[in-house]
């Protein structure tokens, strides 16, 4: 689509803070006021309301993500990792020459993911506290861009780690419905 849009001379704005300020472009203001769709004040107000909503929604999503990771995902991963380690120890106690390759490899991978997820959660939590500082922003455009640039990349990185952890955690130990559950089961 990006190539097609460029070939047609169309703009391509990937996020709300990228496109909404263009409400205020002279050609857009002129067209909307000439057609009596919106007044200048209404155009500006609409832009500010949408950008404010974007910033608030992203903050809520980031806060929810931190809570989900802290209260559900990390404890579940830690418990599964501990159960794997216990299984390996029990097997070794019974038969000392066993490799316990699955338990060892999975425990090692989970431990690495747990550390990455915990670090990502703390990084997101700090970024969220920073964008939530009172008086931090002078205008809604700057706020929405800062919120986007500060929170979205951290959320995407944390999501990738959690998605990977989900693929190696048994369904009965993962705290949320899996994608398969959401797509293919009706209860």
């Amino acid at each position: 689509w990006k190539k097609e849009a460029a070939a047609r001379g169309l703009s391509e704005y990937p996020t709300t803070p990228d496109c909404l300020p263009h409400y205020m472009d002279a050609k857009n203001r002129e067209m909307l006021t000439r057609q009596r769709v919106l007044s200048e004040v209404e155009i500006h107000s609409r832009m500010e309301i949408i950008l404010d909503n974007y910033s608030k929604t992203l903050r809520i999503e980031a806060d929810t993500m931190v809570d989900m990771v802290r209260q559900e995902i990390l404890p579940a991963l830690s418990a599964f990792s501990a159960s794997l380690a216990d299984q390996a120890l029990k097997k070794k106690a019974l038969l000392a020459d066993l490799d316990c390759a699955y338990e060892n490899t999975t425990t090692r991978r989970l431990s690495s993911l747990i550390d990455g997820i915990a670090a990502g959660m703390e990084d997101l939590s700090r970024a969220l506290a920073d964008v939530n500082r009172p008086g931090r922003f002078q205008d809604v455009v700057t706020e929405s861009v800062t919120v986007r640039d500060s929170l979205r990349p951290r959320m995407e990185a944390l999501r990738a780690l959690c998605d990977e952890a989900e693929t190696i955690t048994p369904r009965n130990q993962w705290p949320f419905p899996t994608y398969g559950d959401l797509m293919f089961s009706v209860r």
Side-chain angles (χ1 to χ4, degrees):
W1 164 248
K2 289 180 182 183
K3 288 180 184 177
E4 182 65 26
R8 293 181 184 199
L10 301 172
S11 301
E12 194 274 323
Y13 302 114
T15 67
T16 301
D18 293 318
C19 68
L20 257 293
H22 292 285
Y23 256 25
M24 299 307 297
D25 289 352
K27 68 178 184 169
N28 295 331
R29 286 194 331 264
E30 191 276 323
M31 184 271 301
L32 291 168
T33 55
R34 181 176 28 102
Q35 297 295 326
R36 296 184 181 169
V37 175
L38 296 170
S39 69
E40 290 263 349
V41 171
E42 290 169 329
I43 296 167
H44 191 267
S45 294
R46 183 166 290 203
M47 179 201 65
E48 284 195 344
I49 289 166
I50 293 170
L51 288 175
D52 186 57
N53 185 51
Y54 173 87
S55 294
K56 286 177 181 173
T57 300
L58 206 54
R59 284 178 164 116
I60 290 167
E61 289 175 355
D63 194 38
T64 301
M65 184 178 219
V66 167
D67 285 346
M68 290 172 71
V69 168
R70 181 176 286 130
Q71 296 175 15
E72 302 285 342
I73 294 173
L74 284 174
L77 294 176
S78 184
F80 177 51
S81 178
S83 73
L84 284 173
D86 287 343
Q87 285 176 349
L89 288 173
K90 288 175 185 175
K91 287 180 176 182
K92 286 277 191 187
L94 182 63
L95 299 166
D97 63 334
L98 288 178
D99 287 339
C100 300
Y102 167 73
E103 290 86 353
N104 292 335
T105 302
T106 306
T107 300
R108 183 172 284 115
R109 183 66 197 132
L110 274 175
S111 293
S112 175
L113 285 168
I114 289 168
D115 291 345
I117 290 168
M121 178 198 64
E122 290 302 327
D123 185 41
L124 178 58
S125 185
R126 282 189 300 274
L128 188 57
D130 182 52
V131 298
N132 284 338
R133 264 186 307 135
R136 171 114 164 32
F137 301 106
Q138 299 301 316
D139 65 86
V140 72
V141 175
T142 304
E143 177 181 5
S144 66
V145 169
T146 303
V147 166
R148 176 202 63 203
D149 292 346
S150 182
L151 300 183
R152 275 190 60 186
R154 287 172 171 88
M155 291 170 72
E156 289 168 2
L158 183 53
R159 165 79 186 270
L161 292 170
C162 291
D163 285 351
E164 185 177 345
E166 179 183 357
T167 66
I168 59 176
T169 305
R171 176 182 283 163
N172 66 342
Q173 294 191 12
W174 187 253
F176 304 109
T178 64
Y179 292 120
D181 294 336
L182 294 173
M183 296 294 292
F184 303 111
S185 66
V186 178
R187 296 180 195 240

